[in-house]
Structure formats: C-alpha cells, structure tokens
Amino acid sequence: MTGSLPKGILYGAILVAGFVAPILFPGYTFSIAGLWVMILLALTWDIMGGQMGYNSLGNVFFFGIGMYTCMIVQVGLFYDVAEYTAHSGAVNVHFAPGQYFTGLTLGLAAAAAVATLFALVFGQLILGLRGPYFAIGTLGVALSAGELFGAWPFVGGGGGVALPTYPGEPDDRAYFFYVLCMLLAVAAFAFLKWLYSTRFKLVANAIRDDEEKAEAMGLHTKRYKNLGFAITAFFLGISGGLYGNMIGFIEPLEVAYPVVTFGIFMIVMCLIGGKGTLWGPVIGATLFHVVRQLTWTYMLGWQWVALGGLIIVSVVFFQQGIVGWMQEKWPEWFGIRVDEKSSMDDGFEAGTAKKEAA
Amino acid sequence: MEAIIKCHGVSKAYGGVIANEDISVEVPPGRITGLIGPNGSGKTTLFNSIVGYHPTDAGSITFEGREISNMTTQQISRLGLLRTFQQTRVYKRMNCVDNMLVSVPDRDDAFWSMFRGYPAESTRRAEQLLDFVGLYQKRYLTSGSLSFGQQKLLEFAMALMREPKVLLLDEPTAGINPTLINGLIDRLKRAVSELGVTLFVIEHNMPVIMDLADNIYCLANGRLLAHGRPDEIQNDERVLNAYLGTHHGSEAA
Amino acid sequence: MLSSLELLISAPVLNVQLLLDGIFIGAVYALAAYGLALVWGVMNLKNLAQGDFVIMGGYLAWMLVNQGMNPFLTLPIVAIAMFAFGWAIYRIIICRVIERDLFTSLLATFGLALVMQQILNQIYGPEVQSINAGFDSLAIFGGMVTVAQVKLITLCITAVLAASLVCFMKMSRMGQAIRATAQDPRAARVMGINTDRVYAFTFALNSAICGAAGVLIAMIWVIQPFYGIPYSIRAFVIVTAAGLGNLPGVILAALGLGVAEQYAGFTLGAQLQQFTVVSLLVVVLLFKQFQRGRKRQVLQ
C-alpha cells in the first residue's frame, strides 16, 4: 500500500515490541506467548481454509501429533517412554541441561517431520473430499485421534503425561518459550509472505474459486493441495511440540487435540480478520486473543456461550472479516481499479511477432 | 491435411439415455470447425468426451495421433487440448491479470515450479491478451464483477494464455451483446491466423457459425446427421428437418 | 481384547445381548439421522447441531419428569416445544445461511452447537442424567440376556413415529410441498409454494424429531450437555452411508451403527467406542469418495 520504508519500520517495531513486551510485563509472558501461538494457528489455517477454500475443522490433528511426537523423542532419547508415561511423568527422572535442550531440538524437528508425513499420507485420502465433506472428514480425523491417544497407555492415555522439566529458573523458562513461540510465528509469517508472492498463491486461489475449472486448465491441483496441507502440518507440528513444553503437561482431549477450543479459535480468528489475506489472520488473532484474555475470566462460565455466539455472528453477518471489509470499502487501496488507459500502446502485434519467432 | 482430433465411433449413454451414438468427427488443424445441432442433440456431451470429463462407452478419440479417451481432463489439457464452458467459468474472486497468470502453463513438472514467481513477459503477455479481448481497462477488477459476456471473453483469453493447440469453445457468442459479436468473430479468426490455434466451436447462432467455420458437423438425437462446408450444410434438407422437426416435436409435447 | 472375543464365541448368547442393545439404540439414531437427511435433502443444510437438539430434548423431558410428569407424556410436549424452538432458530440464524456457501452453514451450526451445549451445561450442570421410567427388565435365555422393558417400549414408539413421519411426507399437503422443494426450489417457488415457510417447517420438524429422540435416549441411556457432538457425528455417518432420501437405508445404517458400536465397546473397551464412531465417519466418507472417484466425479 505504502512505500517500503514505512513497512520496514512497521515490521521492525513489531519485532522489537515482541522482544521487549515480556520484559516490560513479566506477569503476562505466558499470555503474550499465547498470542503468538494463536497467530500461528490462524496463519496456518488460512493456507488451506482461506487461500485454497479447503475449510478444515481438524487442523488440531497436526498440533497434537507434533506435541506427542516431541514428547516421545524428548523422553525416549534418554529413558524408557512406557515406564515414564506409566507414572504420568511423575517418576523422579532428571534431565541434565544438555539432555533437555538436545531432546527439545530433536523433538521439535521430529514433530515437524512426523506431522508433515501424516499430512502427506492423509492428504492422499482426504484431499479428494470437497467442501463440507472435507470439513466433516477432517473433524472426524481430529476427534478420532483424540480418542485413540486417550486409549493408548504408551503415551500416557487419558490421564496425560508431564513433560521433562526445564533446567533453570521459572522466569527464564517463560522467556525461553516465549521467544521460541514468537520466532516460530514470525518465521511462518515471513515464509507465507514469500509463498503468497509465488505461483502457489494463484493456483491456491484458483482452486478455491473453481477447482473443476483449474483441473480443466491442466493445473496440477493435487500437488498444490498436498503442498498446502504439508506446510500447514509442518508449522502446526512444531507449534504443538512447543506449546506442550510451554504448558508442561500433555493430555489428549483438552491440550493435544482441542477440537472445540483451538480448532475453532483458528477459524474464528481468520473469519474476524479476513480469510484469504496475509494480514487478516494476524489481525483477527490479535483482536480475538486480547478480547479473550480481558473478558474470559469475568464471564463465569458463560464465555463459551459467548464464543459460540461470536462464531454465529461472525459467520452470518461479517464473513468477509476486517481486511475483507476494508477491501470492499476502499478497493483502490488494494489495487482494484479501472485503468484510465483503454488499451495498450502496442497491442496484439507482439503476439504475431512471438509466433514468427517460434 | 492430417486431422488433429479424430473421433471414431464415439458413444456415450447416461443411464439408458443415449447422448452420443457412433459419432465420427475429424478436426483439421489450423482451421475452425463448427458443431451444430438442436438442443439436446449431444454436442456438449461430445465435447465432454473429448476433453476427458467423463469416460466414453465406446469408440476412440485421438489427439495428434495419440489415444486420449482414457486420459483425465488434466492430462489432456496439458497436451494442449482445452475447452471453455457453456456457463462461463472464471476464478471469480481473483482479478483478471491473476486469472491470466494462473493459466500460464507449467513448463516442467519440477517441484520448485510451484514456487515460481512471474516473469515480466508473462504479465506483459497477459495484458496483451486482455487488450486483445477488450478487457485491458478492467484488468485489475475482480473477474466476478464483470458482466457475463466479459467473463466469457476473459475465459477465452485465459484459454489462449494457456497456449493451446486446439480450443473447444462451447457457444462463444451466447450471452454476448449482439453489437459485439462481429468483433468476437474477428478475434476468433485472428486467434487462428495469428496464434495458430485450431478451433472446434459449438454454436447456435447460424449466421455466426456459417461465417466462422470452414466446415461444419451437425448432430441430431445423438447421431451425426451431416457434415460439409457451410453452404452445403445450409442447404441440407436433413439439417433443416432436424431443426424444424424437433421444434414441432417439442410443441407437440 | 482377545479374551472378550473368545467370550463372545464361547457364549453365543452374549451376541444376542449386544445385538439387541445395538438395535434398541440404533433405532433412536435412525430418528436423528432421518431428521438430518430431511434438512440436508430439502434445504441442503448440514446441521452440526443435530446432536445438541437431541440432548436438549432429553433435558427438557428430564426436567418435566423431575416436576412429577409421566415420562411418556413428556414426549409430545417436548416435541412441540422443540418444534417451536427449531422454528425460532430458523428465523434467527438458519434462514440467513442456507443460501450461502456450505461451509457457512456448517460453521454457523457448529457455533449453534457450542452455544446450546454450554447453555445446557450452565443450567443443568455437567453431570450425567437419565430418566427412570420405572419398568423392570425382562430376563431371557435363563438370565444371560436382560432386556429392559422400557427399551422395548421405546422401540415401538420409534417405529410408530417413523411410520407417521412417512405418512405425513406422503399424504399431507405440507409433506408434498417439502418434497417438491427438495427436488427444485425454484420450480416450487414458481408453482406458488412459499419455500421460506417450507424451510422453516422442515427445520422445525427436524428439531421436533430430534427432541423426541432425545426423550427416548434419556429413558434408555444417559444424557450429558457435551454428548451432542457424538450424536451429530453418528447422524452424519448414517446419512453419508445411506444417502439422502433413502429411508430404508437410513434405518439399516442406523441399526448397523448401533450394533457395531456395541460390539466395539465390548471387544475393544469403552474407551475405543467413541473412536469407532468417529473413525467410521472417516471410513464411510473415504469409501464414498473412492466409489465416486472411479466415475471421475467427486463428492460435492
């Protein structure tokens, strides 16, 4: 919209604010880290949901897969996982700092890899479903994963399992995970900013608008769908591993596969901000998270009713979202305009020239 | 000259209703071939069979000597055989330039080609083609906001952007303002002469198809009725009867 | 798991117990699934709040029984109340989303499901409840198999309800209008049918059917505010497997699901019973997709 200098200043300011915020407000480190996680969830949902029109209700599947993979690697590198989980992680196991950080690094890498692998495998099956069937199918996958992990004692079952303790002060721990969450969200944003400048975005949008036409035009729709799904899973897998460690405790239904909390939040945030745009999910996530933090505890149990109401209202009355609404209001800001010039100076003749050259 | 598309004995039935029966058609390269027939005579079904939209029941379809009747739409269109739809289909929430750019053919199947940017010449080519169909001014508008006729022109331009060898057009003039039809005919002819595209056109507007096509196939009740030069078709008793006959039939029913 | 399989083989009469329980519960699923098939077929609405209508009906009946009412008398009252509730929901929310793209209606009904289950939770609390209709159990096969009389009675009620629904759709003026609208809303409008009213009636009727199913569920099983989503999923499994406008298929699929669930619960353990239901959904969807894929078409 404006020059590159003001934009650079904006990005710089956000980064600086991100690093400084938890130092200024140490009591809120966890809350602000949550904001970065929310931004990441919204950004990744938007790849398939907003850009490609494949509305998933079950993206938390990858989140949970990442979380459990990370846990298994972290523990499994140094102990027997079954024995560890049998005691919900309460056995007296000590992880030396070296072990802890090695485990975390490898765990996050494994989380990304395994989640991506699952995306590629499941993608073969469920990306053939369209529209509401895809939404219901992904919902089914996420719900059944939660049930399955709840009945699997090796990973702690329904009772859950605690993760290795951070070797250091609680404040350091909070800031450590805060920075990781922020860097992940920023990396995802930067990656998507680049990705949306390539052919991927155009083909994704084409699939969203008319997949049959895209097929008739010979686009490799399947590859793009698989790719989008894999990218979503990659980032969600890492964030799941991170979030599990930040919380310190994993449990299948509420933490790892939170279909009706995070799974819905990510969609609502995209809808509020404006799906199918780069900034929409970020704006929506920020707004949603701030409002949720401010009001959540004061609503005495009615917060969930309010959340459901918010979904209905945003879906029914404000589906274009903030960025979408701005696009309608000021189309020229987004380059939607009629050109003054009625035709090119050197019309179609170039076409002839090209043919002759060929 | 060797035909670029050859259909031989193509049949297709939808659950007992025979839409195409034993149809043989040849489309010569570098020319405009017309396909006419009363409503429900199986023209669009034949198009769908050629581009792989549904499997055929019998017969062979070759494109440049290659059997394509068992290929999918995507594979066929990558060979350079494209179709446009009777009800226009453009990517409605993207602007015209993006509609054009996404139609640039994949040069190769490399993984990294999915992350390609757009070279300046692609954009330039897109703008030239938009200019060619008269949409240059509106190139930054979302295509869904264009009128039906304009969307049809855009769809045509998108197909040209894909650099097809053969283009199957399903009623290109339907829904287009009559004053613009002459301009469209001119553009179709120029696409053939300047870009070397072969056209195979379904058309209901008789003066248009007579002006446009070099030779015409006429279908009736799912069978091939007649084939010849426009003047031959125009004076063919059977063609006349087919059109009038079905009108009588539909009135009686 | 193996031991429970051996048990089934060594004591075949246990199979009878599982089959009967599956049929009793499956019959109630069939009601909810029929309602879903109705709104899906007529107004192309994929209602994710289906199960929450069921649970809400159950709670209404439970409340009335606590006031001292006969459990069977609550059935018509709940059905009427749910009919009115459904009509109101249609006017407030559904009528604004049915003409829009399908994800809109899916998400809106998901939001509705959240609101309903949370309100129920706020009012009645998260405890599991059930209605005691006060009947004994029949013991057959020398006490190896027990059948609660109330289950037999609900099975009869379900059959009567289903039969009267079929008659209603076939005979009544409204039923005809509904079927006409399902085939082609525009043509129906041209012919002078007020499709908006038909939609409202269809949704309200679905809500009433769900309410009745909820009353029966509360009598033969348990209800809890958060049990709605599994019922929605079950309804989706059944309708997807059976297809729209196929009542015998819906009944068969529902009974099959009920039996499958009982067997899964017995052999794999109660923990995996829910898993069976949701993974069946995925399996059914994939199977349908595979079937269509061979015809170069997709599920739309």
Side-chain angles (χ1 to χ4, degrees):
Chain A
M1 288 172 263
T2 38
S4 59
L5 187 65
K7 254 192 184 169
I9 293 175
L10 176 69
Y11 288 133
I14 290 176
L15 270 184
V16 170
F19 277 112
V20 172
I23 298 171
L24 293 181
F25 310 102
Y28 295 98
T29 309
F30 188 72
S31 294
I32 315 174
L35 171 62
W36 291 110
V37 173
M38 288 294 143
I39 289 177
L40 184 93
L41 292 183
L43 277 172
T44 51
W45 187 84
D46 199 56
I47 300 171
M48 292 302 285
Q51 301 289 351
M52 214 177 276
Y54 270 74
N55 301 295
S56 162
L57 288 175
N59 271 2
V60 286
F61 174 74
F62 302 121
F63 189 73
I65 287 286
M67 201 178 278
Y68 274 107
T69 308
C70 189
M71 183 275 286
I72 291 171
V73 170
Q74 272 178 286
V75 175
L77 277 178
F78 308 104
Y79 290 98
D80 180 35
V81 179
E83 193 188 331
Y84 182 86
T85 50
H87 301 85
S88 306
V91 275
N92 197 12
V93 278
H94 180 71
F95 288 86
Q99 288 181 328
Y100 182 83
F101 290 111
T102 316
L104 186 63
T105 314
L106 292 178
L108 291 178
V114 173
T116 311
L117 195 69
F118 266 97
L120 291 174
V121 173
F122 274 103
Q124 293 301 318
L125 301 171
I126 57 176
L127 282 171
L129 302 171
R130 296 208 177 158
Y133 288 99
F134 180 76
I136 299 167
T138 47
L139 178 68
V141 169
L143 284 174
S144 51
E147 297 288 343
L148 193 61
F149 276 76
W152 190 16
F154 179 71
V155 295
V161 56
L163 281 153
T165 31
Y166 180 84
E169 296 299 314
D171 283 353
D172 292 347
R173 174 181 185 275
Y175 194 69
F176 174 71
F177 283 112
Y178 171 87
V179 170
L180 285 185
C181 287
M182 181 176 101
L183 288 181
L184 183 64
V186 170
F189 182 88
F191 177 76
L192 292 182
K193 188 172 162 54
W194 167 75
L195 184 69
Y196 292 166
S197 72
T198 65
R199 185 169 171 78
F200 176 85
K201 177 184 158 90
L202 287 186
V203 177
N205 286 178
I207 292 172
R208 173 195 67 194
D209 286 356
D210 191 341
E211 186 167 351
E212 218 168 73
K213 170 75 175 172
E215 282 174 356
M217 294 293 280
L219 299 178
H220 289 271
T221 47
K222 208 172 166 194
R223 294 167 61 192
Y224 286 89
K225 290 195 284 186
N226 281 325
L227 179 69
F229 216 40
I231 293 170
T232 307
F234 178 83
F235 284 110
L236 275 179
I238 301 178
S239 75
L242 261 186
Y243 190 77
N245 274 287
M246 198 165 79
I247 299 273
F249 180 81
I250 299 185
E251 180 270 348
L253 295 179
E254 305 276 323
V255 181
Y257 298 101
V259 177
V260 288
T261 53
F262 285 11
I264 293 301
F265 291 171
M266 54 175 98
I267 304 171
V268 174
M269 292 184 293
C270 287
L271 287 181
I272 293 173
K275 61 176 185 170
T277 59
L278 181 60
W279 277 100
V282 179
I283 295 171
T286 310
L287 208 64
F288 180 80
H289 191 69
V290 169
V291 171
R292 191 163 78 95
Q293 293 294 320
L294 291 180
T295 60
W296 209 242
T297 45
Y298 299 107
M299 288 202 279
L300 307 169
W302 289 92
Q303 66 269 46
W304 294 101
V305 179
L307 173 70
L310 181 68
I311 295 173
I312 298 174
V313 169
S314 62
V315 166
V316 174
F317 297 105
F318 195 60
Q319 208 183 67
Q320 74 275 44
I322 294 169
V323 176
W325 173 79
M326 282 163 63
Q327 252 171 27
E328 275 170 29
K329 187 99 177 163
W330 299 287
E332 56 290 356
W333 284 15
F334 297 85
I336 302 169
R337 64 192 160 81
V338 177
D339 201 322
E340 307 278 308
K341 247 169 52 178
S342 64
S343 70
M344 290 177 90
D345 302 323
D346 52 345
F348 191 55
E349 272 31 79
T352 327
K354 183 174 179 259
K355 190 193 155 205
E356 277 160 9
Chain B
M1 214 176 341
E2 181 73 3
I4 190 160
I5 297 179
K6 281 186 195 168
C7 299
H8 186 76
V10 173
S11 298
K12 171 72 189 171
Y14 292 110
V17 181
I18 295 166
N20 281 165
E21 194 181 4
D22 193 23
I23 291 183
S24 299
V25 167
E26 294 198 347
V27 179
R31 294 183 177 263
I32 303 179
T33 306
L35 182 62
I36 62 170
N39 288 330
S41 58
K43 304 183 295 294
T44 300
T45 303
L46 182 62
F47 265 31
N48 285 340
S49 299
I50 294 174
V51 298
Y53 202 66
H54 54 215
T56 54
D57 297 338
S60 89
I61 302 169
T62 58
F63 176 65
E64 296 184 309
R66 187 168 178 179
E67 183 67 35
I68 58 167
S69 57
N70 49 4
M71 289 186 180
T72 64
T73 315
Q74 276 164 309
Q75 290 169 326
I76 291 170
S77 63
R78 277 180 222 131
L79 296 177
L81 173 55
L82 278 194
R83 64 93 60 93
T84 67
F85 292 86
Q86 198 170 352
Q87 299 295 323
T88 58
R89 298 180 87 155
V90 293
Y91 309 120
K92 290 202 160 81
R93 282 157 64 193
M94 298 161 71
N95 71 27
C96 297
V97 173
D98 286 349
N99 262 286
M100 298 293 287
L101 285 179
V102 78
S103 307
V104 173
D106 284 316
R107 294 271 167 236
D108 49 56
D109 281 354
F111 177 73
W112 291 110
S113 71
M114 289 194 275
F115 305 109
R116 242 184 19 215
Y118 287 91
E121 68 250 40
S122 293
T123 316
R124 198 178 144 67
R125 176 84 184 145
E127 294 187 344
Q128 281 169 350
L129 283 169
L130 285 171
D131 193 17
F132 172 59
V133 297
L135 288 173
Y136 184 76
Q137 261 191 313
K138 306 200 167 181
R139 68 188 187 279
Y140 294 124
L141 298 184
T142 47
S143 64
S145 66
L146 302 176
S147 72
F148 181 76
Q150 286 169 331
Q151 288 186 17
K152 210 143 205 182
L153 291 167
L154 175 63
E155 197 185 16
F156 177 54
M158 283 160 68
L160 290 181
M161 191 75 188
R162 188 77 179 64
E163 295 172 13
K165 292 170 185 155
V166 179
L167 194 50
L168 272 54
L169 300 172
D170 200 340
E171 299 197 31
T173 67
I176 293 203
N177 185 335
T179 56
L180 296 177
I181 285 184
N182 281 336
L184 179 66
I185 293 177
D186 177 51
R187 283 177 186 132
L188 292 178
K189 285 182 171 171
R190 280 175 65 196
V192 174
S193 62
E194 293 176 22
L195 298 174
V197 180
T198 303
L199 294 186
F200 190 20
V201 184
I202 292 180
E203 188 52 70
H204 270 306
N205 187 330
M206 285 305 142
V208 168
I209 196 72
M210 295 303 160
D211 179 10
L212 201 58
D214 302 309
N215 65 86
I216 293 176
Y217 286 89
C218 178
L219 300 187
N221 295 325
R223 296 178 144 276
L224 187 62
L225 190 68
H227 167 222
R229 291 191 311 277
D231 53 319
E232 291 170 349
I233 290 288
Q234 226 160 353
N235 299 319
D236 193 309
E237 277 295 312
R238 294 168 300 171
V239 176
L240 233 55
N241 284 338
Y243 271 89
L244 295 177
T246 46
H247 277 280
H248 283 301
S250 62
E251 273 162 31
Chain C
M1 187 181 138
L2 275 178
S3 59
S4 43
L5 271 180
E6 281 165 17
L7 197 59
L8 277 182
I9 295 164
S10 58
V13 79
L14 273 178
N15 287 295
V16 179
Q17 176 82 65
L18 291 177
L19 272 175
L20 280 177
D21 280 346
I23 288 172
F24 289 134
I25 197 71
V28 187
Y29 295 166
L31 274 184
Y34 181 70
L36 180 68
L38 197 65
V39 290
W40 191 331
V42 175
M43 46 212 281
N44 205 4
L45 176 76
K46 286 150 185 87
N47 182 17
L48 266 181
Q50 194 75 1
D52 299 279
F53 282 93
V54 173
I55 298 296
M56 182 172 164
Y59 268 103
L60 286 182
W62 178 75
M63 198 176 67
L64 289 173
V65 170
N66 280 358
Q67 304 290 319
M69 193 180 271
N70 181 314
F72 292 100
L73 265 183
T74 62
L75 191 74
I77 298 174
V78 168
I80 292 168
M82 288 302 290
F83 188 90
F85 177 74
W87 193 288
I89 290 293
Y90 175 82
R91 285 280 165 231
I92 299 169
I93 301 169
I94 307 296
C95 66
R96 293 173 219 279
V97 298
I98 48 171
E99 305 280 318
R100 309 258 288 273
D101 67 298
L102 287 167
F103 188 64
T104 304
S105 60
L106 202 65
L107 204 54
T109 52
F110 200 82
L112 180 65
L114 265 183
V115 172
M116 286 175 69
Q117 70 188 36
Q118 294 296 342
I119 288 180
L120 289 176
N121 183 33
Q122 288 296 312
I123 298 176
Y124 300 112
E127 294 82 22
V128 169
Q129 309 286 5
S130 74
I131 294 174
N132 183 5
F135 287 97
D136 289 336
S137 290
L138 293 174
I140 45 178
F141 291 110
M144 288 284 282
V145 174
T146 54
V147 179
Q149 285 173 349
V150 65
K151 290 186 178 176
L152 279 175
I153 297 170
T154 56
L155 187 65
C156 298
I157 295 176
T158 311
V160 170
L161 277 177
S164 46
L165 269 173
V166 170
C167 288
F168 172 80
M169 292 301 280
K170 285 251 159 73
M171 315 280 191
S172 73
R173 195 92 188 114
M174 194 48 155
Q176 284 173 349
I178 289 175
R179 284 187 298 141
T181 310
Q183 282 186 12
D184 191 340
R186 246 171 72 196
R189 228 167 287 156
V190 171
M191 300 305 281
I193 292 173
N194 182 347
T195 50
D196 190 47
R197 253 192 82 213
V198 169
Y199 287 154
F201 186 90
T202 310
F203 194 76
L205 182 65
N206 168 44
S207 167
I209 296 171
C210 286
V215 178
L216 300 178
I217 297 244
M219 283 198 270
I220 63 174
W221 216 359
V222 289
I223 49 171
Q224 200 257 357
F226 300 108
Y227 281 1
I229 288 188
Y231 282 106
S232 302
I233 298 274
R234 288 183 183 112
F236 272 93
V237 173
I238 294 165
V239 175
T240 317
L244 300 174
N246 177 5
L247 187 58
V250 165
I251 292 173
L252 263 182
L255 297 182
L257 178 67
V259 172
E261 235 181 82
Q262 293 296 325
Y263 269 92
F266 187 79
T267 56
L268 305 175
Q271 281 170 313
L272 283 173
Q273 190 169 347
Q274 295 274 15
F275 170 74
T276 313
V277 178
V278 270
S279 50
L280 261 181
L281 172 70
V282 181
V283 170
V284 166
L285 278 173
L286 292 180
F287 179 70
K288 283 261 165 181
Q289 167 64 20
F290 175 71
Q291 262 186 333
R292 300 278 179 106
R294 296 201 302 196
K295 287 189 240 159
R296 285 181 174 182
Q297 279 167 359
V298 286
L299 276 177
Q300 294 234 319

